[in-house]
Amino acid sequence: MPEEHRAACVVGYPIAHSRSPMLHGYWIDRYGLDAAYRAEEVRPEDFAAFLANLSARGYVGANVTIPHKDAAFRLSEPDQRARAVGAANTLWFEGGLLRSTNTDVEGFTASLDAAAPNWDKRTHEAVVLGAGGAGRAVVYGLIERGVECIHLVNRTRAKAEAIAASFGLAVRPADWRDLPRLLDGGALLVNATSLGMSHAGQLDIDLSGLADDAVVADIVYVPLTTSLLAQARRRGLATANGLDMLLHQAVRGFELWFGRKPEVTQELYDLLAADIEGAPA
Ligand code: ATR
């Protein structure tokens, strides 16, 4: 193996559905790097041993996906974002230490930056649907970017209250029935629930009350255009989808492992979009 050869992987169980190898493989080819990015299927009971041997296996770092994000957090030195979310999805070595972060946070905010530059300058309040792991990353990203008030709507109110308890007064737990009032004149709506995914229930929300320059984001990427995003586009609002977030969350790992900050381009989006749309439902 030549000196400069570097390899990283995505670790999950199962892993066949992951788009990360296609995404990182595209960048490796595009920049002509002597690098590799592989998928590793690792059972939960084998994950700790896999991580302990990550370097010995020839890896300079890894992405981690379901069901290993919590274990990756516990078995590494997390940064502030990973600590805030309580889960890690990107690992790398630094001075012999295995460090970790959660790039869903910046993946989400970078997708908003791409869809609606300067969104944060005009967004003082936001409405976030969903208080699971994705909702936590979204809420933390909004707080990082200075959003002062985040109405967090969740079916199970206790989960929204737990996020409010750890993130402070900016987070206001709310219920679905509060939505019409919360969306009136609203600047930003984010769906961080699984509603809208193929085979899941649909989101049926009236967006007519949102401000004319509002932004609507959806973490779902199968389908690429959920009914929520279709409605937002019909109103002429800026939108970001789950694929935008997936592409942007991958940038940091690639840069950490391979030393080059990759670009999220329309060509890359189209490649992944065609793969998602062509996959069996
Ligand atoms: P993730 O880590 O991707 O966020 P999760 O932790 O399972 O996944 O969270 C899924 C989110 O979708 C939660 O906010 C969940 O609401 P609950 O916390 O009440 O379970 C939300 N969700 C899923 N199905 C839903 C449904 N039919 N109606 C309302 N909310 C739903």
Side-chain angles (χ1 to χ4, degrees), residues 109-110 113 118-121 123 140-147:
T109 51
D113 290 337
N118 295 322
W119 63 273
D120 49 342
K121 307 242 170 10
T123 304
Y140 189 68
L142 295 177
I143 290 174
E144 268 193 355
R145 294 294 288 272
V147 178

Side-chain angles (χ1 to χ4, degrees), residues 73-134:
F73 171 71
R74 282 185 272 105
L75 296 167
S76 61
E77 290 290 327
D79 73 354
Q80 200 184 348
R81 283 181 180 160
R83 282 201 301 273
V85 180
N89 71 349
T90 301
L91 303 167
W92 74 100
F93 291 101
E94 201 175 288
L97 267 185
L98 185 60
R99 302 286 325 273
S100 67
T101 187
N102 190 309
T103 63
D104 288 338
V105 177
E106 71 215 55
F108 167 68
T109 51
S111 74
L112 290 187
D113 290 337
N118 295 322
W119 63 273
D120 49 342
K121 307 242 170 10
R122 57 178 195 268
T123 304
H124 306 292
E125 285 196 26
V127 177
V128 176
L129 313 174

Side-chain angles (χ1 to χ4, degrees), residues 8-12 15 18 20 23-24 37 47 51 54 61-74 76-79 81-83 85-92 98-108 133-134 137 245-254 256-257:
C9 58
V10 56
V11 193
I15 199 59
S18 173
S20 292
L23 168 52
H24 288 280
Y37 185 98
F47 182 71
L51 218 53
L54 193 65
N63 280 134
V64 172
T65 187
I66 293 166
H68 302 313
K69 289 185 185 187
D70 296 355
F73 171 71
R74 282 185 272 105
S76 61
E77 290 290 327
D79 73 354
R81 283 181 180 160
R83 282 201 301 273
V85 180
N89 71 349
T90 301
L91 303 167
W92 74 100
L98 185 60
R99 302 286 325 273
S100 67
T101 187
N102 190 309
T103 63
D104 288 338
V105 177
E106 71 215 55
F108 167 68
M245 182 170 162
L246 179 79
L247 298 177
H248 286 285
Q249 70 75 32
V251 168
R252 179 104 192 278
F254 192 92
L256 284 163
W257 310 317

